[in-house]
């Protein structure tokens, strides 16, 4: 991997290898910076209103052809995309590192996640099952079919710059839908790279329609135009709850579908019977991995008083010894940079607020500022709080972990659920009653509920998403594919009589 002084050249080299036109990333007016150094690595051009309109026009025309292609044949395109991703795993993973600030294993892991969802979607292309339904009327049969929905908008954020697109795109493509991708303005290069790989797959596929997939570079205005266009029946948007408050109503106003993956203020409960060594490892990754910039990052930790002191002491040791730095230059680094100065400022403001409320803070300071004055590396912060209040009730996208003791199990469930967000949760316990309570309707109110693992690191086989202010959307596995299709219920009369349902009679002579 490149030294940080050569990041612009390394970035250009990767993009060239992946087939991205040099003009696309060198002749624009929008500056792209790497959080590793804060330096400029590319210049891209935003799509204007006319370009956005053309992209949507092309997707509408592509849909008319693609919806008629048999689903297993559509799956073959996704299979080819998976092959391209396998061949370019190191290059795309390296670009994720440079542009999003991830460590090497996470950069490659994100590409592996894309490969995994492609494999899932290829199998799914032969399993878009409907139902045969018993009719109450003699000589009648009811059935349910699933048809392609239309062009799909996908709005992604910086922390998973390519995997979240793949969750949506792989399913949408096998379901018969074109895909229009508006990536984060902080991470457009990975989107351009993946689009180039998909173009290679399309070329090998042979007869895919023009406009089946496109990338829209831009800021909030581009996202708004995509969200407001009546030709886009579904928009999947990942980002902050604030973003969801804007996107959700705009889609609802025109009766469009929304898949919203928004904020997470995720918690874990450590019970007296927990395996503390296992809990320690799980908590460390969940709380400080990706520099705390995952929607599933562990932010609130409730520890039973009987094991509180022992576990907190071990956690403090981990927080002190975990290496923070530039993973492009040091393979032992576990914590890379925050995405930008605004993220650092938000973290520091939150720490000040927690301190004013009596929080005892360990860590949280800036690192490597002399070497990287335009980049923002920080020590993870462990904050002991007497109660759940103030900033503990909000999500701050940084490595902040609020630690609180508890005694009563029913009360800790109330505290766990006592925030507006509802994405991911964990319990560490070997007591089957506690575990089953946590998993039950009276337990965690989140969309992801784990036992003896952390709240982050979801596999693609399960549906991903959360409740309350997290948005309620579901992506990736299970039956999330149904969001990308429209349901048709049909009744077939194969007899010579016309009985009506519910015993209704309507005799006309």
């Amino acid at each position: 991997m490149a030294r940080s002084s050569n990041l612009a050249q390394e970035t250009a080299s990767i993009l060239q290898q992946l087939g991205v036109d040099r003009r696309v990333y060198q002749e624009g007016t929008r500056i792209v910076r790497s959080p590793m150094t804060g330096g400029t690595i590319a210049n891209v051009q935003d799509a204007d209103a006319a370009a956005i309109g053309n992209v949507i026009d092309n997707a509408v025309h592509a849909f008319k052809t693609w919806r008629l292609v048999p689903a297993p044949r559509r799956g073959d395109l996704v299979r080819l995309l998976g092959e391209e991703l396998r061949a370019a795993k190191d290059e795309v993973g390296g670009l994720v590192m440079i542009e999003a600030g991830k460590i090497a294993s996470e950069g490659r892991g994100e590409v592996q996640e894309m490969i995994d969802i492609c494999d899932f979607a290829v199998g799914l292309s032969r399993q878009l099952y409907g139902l045969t339904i018993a009719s109450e009327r003699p000589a009648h049969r009811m059935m349910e079919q699933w048809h392609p929905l239309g062009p799909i908008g996908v709005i992604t954020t910086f922390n998973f710059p390519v995997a979240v697109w793949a969750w949506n795109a792989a399913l949408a493509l096998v379901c018969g839908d074109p895909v229009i991708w508006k990536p984060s303005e902080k991470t457009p290069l990975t989107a351009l790279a993946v689009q180039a790989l998909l173009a290679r797959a399309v070329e090998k596929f042979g007869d895919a329609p023009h406009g089946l997939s496109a990338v829209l570079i831009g800021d909030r205005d581009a996202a708004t135009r995509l969200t407001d266009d009546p030709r886009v029946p579904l928009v999947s948007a990942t980002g902050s709850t604030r973003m969801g408050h804007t996107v959700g109503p705009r889609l609802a106003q025109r009766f469009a579908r929304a898949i919203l993956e928004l904020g997470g203020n995720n918690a874990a409960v450590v019970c007296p019977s927990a395996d503390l060594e296992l809990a320690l490892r799980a908590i460390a990754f969940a709380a400080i991995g990706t520099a705390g910039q995952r929607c599933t990052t562990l932010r609130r930790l409730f520890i039973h008083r009987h094991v509180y002191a022992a576990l907190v002491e071990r956690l403090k040791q981990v927080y002190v010894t975990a290496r923070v730095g530039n993973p492009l230059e040091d393979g032992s680094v576990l914590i890379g940079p925050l995405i930008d100065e605004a993220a650092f400022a938000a973290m520091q403001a939150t720490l000040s607020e927690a301190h004013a409320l009596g929080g005892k803070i360990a860590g949280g300071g800036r690192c490597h500022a002399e070497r990287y004055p335009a980049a923002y590396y920080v020590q993870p912060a462990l904050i002991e709080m007497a109660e759940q209040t103030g900033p503990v009730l909000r999500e701050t996208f940084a490595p902040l972990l609020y630690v609180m003791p508890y005694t009563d199990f029913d009360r800790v469930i109330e505290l766990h659920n006592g925030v507006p967000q509802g994405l991911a949760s964990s319990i560490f316990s070997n007591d089957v009653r506690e575990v089953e309570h946590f998993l039950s309707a009276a337990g965690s109110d989140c969309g992801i509920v784990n036992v003896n693992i952390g709240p982050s690191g979801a596999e693609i086989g399960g549906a991903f998403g959360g409740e309350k202010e997290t948005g309620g959307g579901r992506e990736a596995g299970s039956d999330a594919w149904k969001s990308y299709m429209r349901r048709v219920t049909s009744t077939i009369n194969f007899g010579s009589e016309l009985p009506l349902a519910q015993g209704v009679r309507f005799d006309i002579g």
Side-chain angles (χ1 to χ4, degrees):
M1 184 50 63
R3 303 289 295 182
S4 57
S5 59
N6 299 317
L7 277 189
Q9 295 95 316
E10 177 69 13
T11 301
S13 175
I14 294 173
L15 291 170
Q16 289 169 9
Q17 290 179 60
L18 298 178
V20 180
D21 189 324
R22 179 188 64 81
R23 292 169 296 180
V24 174
Y25 58 87
Q26 289 190 352
E27 297 183 4
T29 57
R30 177 177 292 279
I31 295 174
V32 183
R33 305 182 188 276
S34 170
M36 298 294 194
T37 64
T40 299
I41 54 173
N43 298 83
V44 297
Q45 188 61 49
D46 286 0
D48 59 19
I52 294 170
N54 288 336
V55 163
I56 298 174
D57 283 342
N58 292 337
V60 170
H61 289 300
F63 176 62
K64 294 177 182 179
T65 300
W66 192 242
R67 66 186 176 181
L68 299 178
V69 175
R73 174 66 175 149
R74 299 193 297 249
D76 199 43
L77 174 58
V78 177
R79 178 186 62 80
L80 291 168
L81 173 59
E83 291 179 358
E84 295 294 334
L85 290 167
R86 282 182 171 87
K89 184 174 180 179
D90 288 342
E91 290 79 9
V92 178
L95 193 58
V96 171
M97 290 180 69
I98 292 171
E99 195 174 35
K102 294 191 174 185
I103 64 175
S105 65
E106 289 192 280
R108 287 173 54 85
E110 183 160 352
V111 185
Q112 185 60 51
E113 194 165 358
M114 301 175 76
I115 295 167
D116 291 345
I117 195 64
C118 285
D119 288 349
F120 179 91
V122 172
L124 177 66
S125 68
R126 294 180 181 270
Q127 300 178 78
L128 301 175
Y129 299 140
L131 297 172
T132 297
I133 306 167
S135 173
E136 67 183 64
R137 290 167 283 184
H140 283 60
R141 176 171 67 86
M142 294 177 66
M143 70 176 185
E144 185 178 87
Q145 299 179 82
W146 294 88
H147 292 318
L149 181 63
I152 304 303
V154 181
I155 300 171
T156 57
T157 188
F158 75 87
N159 61 326
F160 279 86
V162 288
V164 172
W165 171 82
W167 291 356
N168 288 275
L171 298 191
L173 288 171
V174 300
C175 288
D177 305 326
V179 181
I180 304 167
W181 183 6
K182 209 301 284 184
S184 168
E185 58 269 33
K186 298 176 183 179
T187 52
L189 304 180
T190 44
L192 295 171
V194 170
Q195 177 68 13
L197 292 178
L198 181 55
R200 290 183 184 177
V202 166
E203 185 176 359
K204 293 178 180 179
F205 182 80
D207 58 353
H210 173 67
L212 190 58
S213 175
V215 172
L216 293 178
I217 303 299
D219 53 18
R220 182 175 179 176
D221 180 64
T224 298
R225 291 182 182 277
L226 183 62
T227 299
D228 288 352
D229 198 295
R231 296 169 294 175
V232 182
L234 166 66
V235 173
S236 174
T238 302
S240 67
T241 299
R242 182 179 62 180
M243 180 271 287
H245 280 304
T246 299
V247 171
R250 298 185 83 99
L251 291 170
Q253 188 172 25
R254 63 180 181 88
F255 300 106
R257 297 187 194 178
I259 299 176
L260 299 178
E261 299 290 355
L262 309 175
N265 190 5
N266 315 294
V269 177
V270 180
C271 301
S273 64
D275 179 334
L276 295 187
E277 187 61 32
L278 181 149
L280 178 71
R281 297 195 304 272
I283 291 164
F285 171 69
I288 65 179
T290 326
Q293 297 173 118
R294 289 182 177 228
C295 55
T296 53
T297 290
L298 177 61
R299 308 198 184 280
R300 297 176 295 133
L301 180 62
F302 299 98
I303 307 174
H304 194 275
R305 291 189 183 276
H306 287 172
V307 294
Y308 182 90
L311 183 55
V312 169
E313 183 60 31
R314 293 290 308 280
L315 278 171
K316 288 180 178 179
Q317 294 173 13
V318 170
Y319 271 53
V320 169
T321 58
R323 290 184 65 82
V324 180
N326 186 338
L328 298 174
E329 299 184 339
D330 183 350
S332 66
V333 161
L334 292 178
I335 307 169
L338 295 175
I339 190 66
D340 56 23
E341 183 179 7
F344 175 74
M347 178 179 177
Q348 298 309 305
T350 300
L351 287 172
S352 296
E353 186 179 356
H355 182 265
L357 291 170
K360 295 192 297 183
I361 301 171
R366 189 176 177 186
C367 309
H368 312 302
E370 291 185 2
R371 183 172 185 187
Y372 302 111
Y376 293 88
Y377 295 86
V378 293
Q379 286 286 345
L382 189 150
I383 310 160
E384 294 183 77
M385 297 289 289
E387 59 181 335
Q388 182 167 265
T389 187
V392 188
L393 301 173
R394 305 192 306 269
E395 178 188 49
T396 301
F397 227 53
L400 301 172
L401 179 62
Y402 304 102
V403 184
M404 293 158 283
Y406 83 91
T407 303
D408 180 73
F409 188 73
D410 289 334
R411 174 57 179 158
V412 81
I413 296 295
E414 292 179 7
L415 292 169
H416 175 283
N417 295 344
V419 295
Q421 310 83 6
L423 179 53
S425 58
S426 296
I427 187 171
F428 294 90
S429 174
N430 288 317
D431 184 323
V432 67
R433 291 178 175 173
E434 290 175 331
V435 167
E436 292 294 341
H437 186 157
F438 195 72
L439 295 171
S440 76
S444 169
D445 63 359
C446 294
I448 299 170
V449 186
N450 293 336
V451 178
N452 291 330
I453 63 171
S456 62
E459 300 177 34
I460 59 90
F464 181 90
E467 302 301 322
K468 301 188 296 186
E469 286 191 358
T470 301
R474 293 296 186 275
E475 296 169 322
S478 186
D479 65 349
W481 62 271
K482 293 179 179 179
S483 295
Y484 306 87
M485 306 196 82
R486 59 183 180 88
R487 186 195 312 250
V488 177
T489 302
S490 302
T491 303
I492 301 97
N493 180 358
F494 56 91
S496 58
E497 303 294 328
L498 191 65
L500 300 178
Q502 293 89 43
V504 173
R505 299 187 62 85
F506 194 80
D507 298 324
I508 58 174

